[in-house]
Amino acid sequence: MMVKKVQPNCNMSNTSNDIWFLSEKTPSSTYGELLAGLFHVKAEQHSATQKIEILDDFDWHIWQSGKLLLKQNQSYCLQQPESPPLQFEQAGDPKFSWEFAEHEASGVLAPLIGVRALQTVFSCNHSDTCWEVRNFEDDKLVCRIREVWLQGDHDVPFYSGYLKLEALRGYQREYQQIVAKFQEHFVAEPTSEPIDLRLLLKHHHFDDEIPAAITAEINYHLPSEAAVRLLLKALLLDSRRHVDGICRDIDSEYLHDFRVQIRKARSLVQLLKKSFSADDQLQIKTLLADIARPTGPLRDLDVFLLEQNRYRELLPQEQHAGFEVLLRNIKNARAQAFKKVNAYLSNGSYISDFEKVLALVDQPAHCDSPEAQRAVGEYVAQLIAKRYRKICKMGLSLDDNTPDEAVHSLRIECKKLRYLLTLFGSLFASGPLKKIIKRMKGLQSVLGDFNDFTVQQSFLNEQASRSRSQNLIITVSGLVAVLHQKQLEVRAHVCDGMSEFAAPETASLIEQLLLNEAE
């Protein structure tokens, strides 16, 4: 039997415990033989083996927060560090945080998983067995031996368990005798973590199962064309991770993340266009646009459905009937749009487009332009400085009479700067980089809200133009008026956000960033 000793943890309820990890089942006679002549081991108590499902979202946000969401049939348990577990019953099969009737659990899960769906990321069988250790004189119970096991199913066979000695008050001398016998056989391995199901999973290298984004390793002095090709390949391969979730319609974030990666790839080609030949640049951008284009309508419909409760709250009660007609139409349109996206991603068109662009990107660097040969760190530093100056010039010229198109242009320039900072962030010192991105978030949030209101109004007007329902048309008219007013309110904050981002402190951070190559 393979075992490793774990020292007791101060967070455990019983401070007189000694624990060993186990990697294979223990014969029932083992403990009796180990304690022969000192004590007798009797009355094994064995709980029924139960199947446990571990629920999390695609990125395992619950696990990475230190929590664990377990499901056994209709029973749920949300384990939290330094807090009592939340145990509750839930009918049906809730996918999203807001579908849980247990409000406390919903409140804990919502900030972790957002609009992502819960899935079974792992399942195993759980068993708990207890032996009683009694003395010979008067058959008094002096200690308990407890084994807790996780056993993988036929797809993922494994054993992971621990053995725990539980002391009883008044029998410390006997307990020390038992511990001494166990220590003769087992090697100590201390841990600072609570002994629970989570630790068992970590001991089984559960952390290795966390889905990881596909990234590229580049350095400051790598020629820019080679660096950009590596980044493009990583973005493309990472986008493909989300295709299965899109086709299975698990949640809307799969499509969102897919589109973000494709959009980043397109921006990267445009931002560092001199790193490619004109022919390569055109072919890559065209293919990326072909991949993104079929998914646009579905994303627009998803965005509305995600915000439906907020929209409903903006309307007076008498317009709710029209809103329900609008909602029904959008759900029907969403079903049709999903079929089209699913068909595109599942048939040869997407596969062909993807393989073509991947083949183009995966070619060896061959452009002979000075920019293509230039160290990517130097080239990007120049682009960051240029983009920042352009944003300041555009943003500080805004006033109440500036056309909305100029505000949208500013948003696009900020997004380009953000892409440069995030895609090439590993090339520069992390301190200034994090501070710049933090300062950008405020401005980008305001600009993003402004753009969202514009897109939403356009989307709603399009829905109204396709309908003959007077209730729907009246509802859309009212909703568009409310959104327009909110857009005007946001517009008033753009200049404030721009002033903060253009402040001398930000300029100083940009200067520090570009002078300090990452170590």
Side-chain angles (χ1 to χ4, degrees):
M1 176 176 61
M2 297 180 64
V3 294
K4 287 189 278 189
K5 174 75 185 312
V6 179
Q7 299 290 358
N9 182 272
C10 60
N11 293 324
M12 297 172 59
S13 58
N14 186 341
T15 57
S16 295
N17 292 328
D18 283 81
I19 300 165
W20 289 262
F21 280 124
L22 305 173
S23 58
E24 58 188 45
K25 279 288 187 178
T26 310
S28 299
S29 61
T30 298
Y31 305 125
E33 295 170 356
L34 189 61
L35 300 176
L38 292 172
F39 306 96
H40 61 101
V41 180
K42 59 183 293 188
E44 174 183 312
Q45 298 174 6
H46 182 68
S47 66
T49 299
Q50 297 177 309
K51 183 177 180 180
I52 293 178
E53 295 178 65
I54 298 172
L55 305 182
D56 215 322
D57 66 9
F58 177 69
D59 295 306
W60 290 29
H61 286 119
I62 300 173
W63 172 267
Q64 295 193 73
S65 73
K67 299 176 176 64
L68 197 62
L69 180 60
L70 309 175
K71 178 185 178 185
Q72 293 180 347
N73 299 319
Q74 300 303 311
S75 299
Y76 291 80
C77 179
L78 178 59
Q79 296 184 356
Q80 309 175 78
E82 302 179 1
S83 297
L86 297 175
Q87 297 179 327
F88 55 95
E89 299 289 319
Q90 174 73 51
D93 190 20
K95 287 176 59 179
F96 300 98
S97 64
W98 56 84
E99 294 177 347
F100 283 92
E102 170 55 55
H103 297 300
E104 189 174 355
S106 179
V108 173
L109 292 173
L112 295 177
I113 66 175
V115 297
R116 299 231 69 145
L118 292 169
Q119 306 172 65
T120 299
V121 298
F122 190 72
S123 63
C124 58
N125 295 314
H126 173 267
S127 63
D128 194 333
T129 308
C130 185
W131 289 266
E132 296 179 346
V133 181
R134 295 180 177 270
N135 62 25
F136 287 112
E137 292 79 12
D138 51 8
D139 200 38
K140 290 289 187 180
L141 178 64
V142 299
C143 179
R144 286 190 176 89
I145 303 171
R146 184 182 174 204
E147 275 189 11
V148 176
W149 280 99
L150 296 182
Q151 180 179 351
D153 55 27
H154 62 280
D155 293 326
V156 189
F158 79 94
Y159 280 108
S160 184
Y162 64 83
L163 157 69
K164 178 165 71 173
L165 299 181
E166 298 179 346
L168 297 179
R169 184 172 297 175
Y171 295 97
Q172 197 63 31
R173 182 177 62 83
E174 289 84 351
Y175 180 77
Q176 292 303 326
Q177 287 180 289
I178 296 168
V179 169
K181 278 292 183 181
F182 275 71
Q183 287 177 336
E184 291 176 5
H185 296 270
F186 307 146
V187 178
E189 180 184 283
T191 179
S192 61
E193 299 186 63
I195 303 301
D196 55 13
L197 179 58
R198 181 180 174 85
L199 185 60
L200 273 186
L201 292 167
K202 290 188 72 172
H203 186 65
H204 185 61
H205 306 293
F206 200 55
D207 283 324
D208 296 343
E209 305 297 323
I210 298 173
I214 297 173
T215 58
E217 291 188 10
I218 60 174
N219 63 68
Y220 192 92
H221 301 286
L222 191 66
S224 64
E225 183 187 6
V228 173
R229 286 183 179 277
L230 287 173
L231 288 171
L232 285 172
K233 182 179 179 180
L235 289 168
L236 286 168
L237 294 176
D238 194 72
S239 74
R240 193 167 60 181
R241 291 194 307 135
H242 307 285
V243 170
D244 179 65
I246 297 171
C247 294
R248 291 166 56 199
D249 205 15
I250 296 173
D251 63 47
S252 61
E253 288 299 283
Y254 285 95
L255 180 63
H256 173 63
D257 290 347
F258 174 86
R259 286 174 53 81
V260 166
Q261 298 303 71
I262 297 300
R263 185 164 63 242
K264 284 182 179 179
R266 292 180 66 190
S267 294
L268 185 57
V269 175
Q270 179 62 32
L271 287 167
L272 282 86
K273 57 187 176 183
K274 293 183 180 180
S275 295
F276 291 96
S277 66
D279 186 51
D280 279 357
Q281 183 200 160
L282 179 61
Q283 288 188 69
I284 293 171
K285 286 179 62 178
T286 300
L287 286 166
L288 290 173
D290 290 343
I291 290 173
R293 190 177 301 109
T295 67
L298 177 58
R299 178 58 189 168
D300 290 342
L301 294 161
D302 279 343
V303 169
F304 178 87
L305 292 173
L306 288 170
E307 296 289 337
Q308 60 180 284
N309 291 334
R310 184 169 68 90
Y311 291 144
R312 188 183 286 107
E313 291 171 358
L314 294 174
L315 294 168
Q317 185 66 39
E318 58 268 21
Q319 291 185 4
H320 282 194
F323 184 80
E324 293 306 316
V325 176
L326 173 64
L327 189 60
R328 184 171 63 249
N329 289 353
I330 288 177
K331 287 181 177 179
N332 290 336
R334 200 263 174 199
Q336 295 303 313
F338 170 73
K339 287 181 180 179
K340 292 179 180 179
V341 170
N342 190 24
Y344 169 68
L345 293 175
S346 303
N347 66 25
S349 298
Y350 163 70
I351 296 171
S352 175
D353 289 342
F354 184 87
E355 289 180 349
K356 284 178 184 177
V357 71
L358 185 62
L360 276 170
V361 165
D362 207 20
Q363 292 178 5
H366 55 266
C367 182
D368 57 2
S369 72
E371 290 81 6
Q373 305 300 318
R374 189 177 180 185
V376 67
E378 294 180 1
Y379 189 15
V380 170
Q382 177 185 323
L383 293 175
I384 289 172
K386 180 179 178 181
R387 192 68 52 185
Y388 177 68
R389 289 194 298 269
K390 184 175 183 179
I391 289 170
C392 290
K393 182 178 180 180
M394 291 176 64
L396 294 176
S397 67
L398 296 178
D399 57 35
D400 294 341
N401 299 316
T402 305
D404 287 350
E405 290 74 15
V407 180
H408 291 303
S409 296
L410 177 63
R411 180 186 66 86
I412 292 170
E413 292 303 319
C414 287
K415 183 174 287 189
K416 289 177 180 178
L417 176 59
R418 181 74 175 268
Y419 285 158
L420 286 172
L421 293 170
T422 53
L423 289 171
F424 296 97
S426 63
L427 304 182
F428 304 101
S430 62
L433 178 69
K434 290 178 181 178
K435 292 177 181 178
I436 294 167
I437 291 176
K438 184 177 180 180
R439 283 176 167 265
M440 282 201 75
K441 284 182 179 178
L443 176 59
Q444 282 196 290
S445 177
V446 174
L447 292 171
D449 288 345
F450 183 83
N451 181 67
D452 289 345
F453 286 130
T454 301
V455 172
Q456 290 160 9
Q457 290 174 69
S458 176
F459 173 82
L460 289 167
N461 284 326
E462 183 180 355
Q463 298 301 312
S465 69
R466 296 175 179 177
S467 176
R468 296 181 180 179
S469 167
Q470 282 302 115
N471 281 341
L472 183 149
I473 293 171
I474 292 171
T475 295
V476 166
S477 177
L479 194 50
V480 166
V482 173
L483 293 176
H484 179 66
Q485 181 58 40
K486 288 187 172 293
Q487 184 181 25
L488 293 178
E489 293 170 5
V490 169
R491 167 72 187 255
H493 296 294
V494 171
C495 291
D496 293 337
M498 188 61 237
S499 296
E500 181 180 352
F501 187 63
E505 293 85 355
T506 310
S508 177
L509 287 169
I510 292 285
E511 185 177 348
Q512 291 176 43
L513 178 77
L514 303 184
L515 290 176
N516 291 278
E517 175 186 345
E519 296 181 359

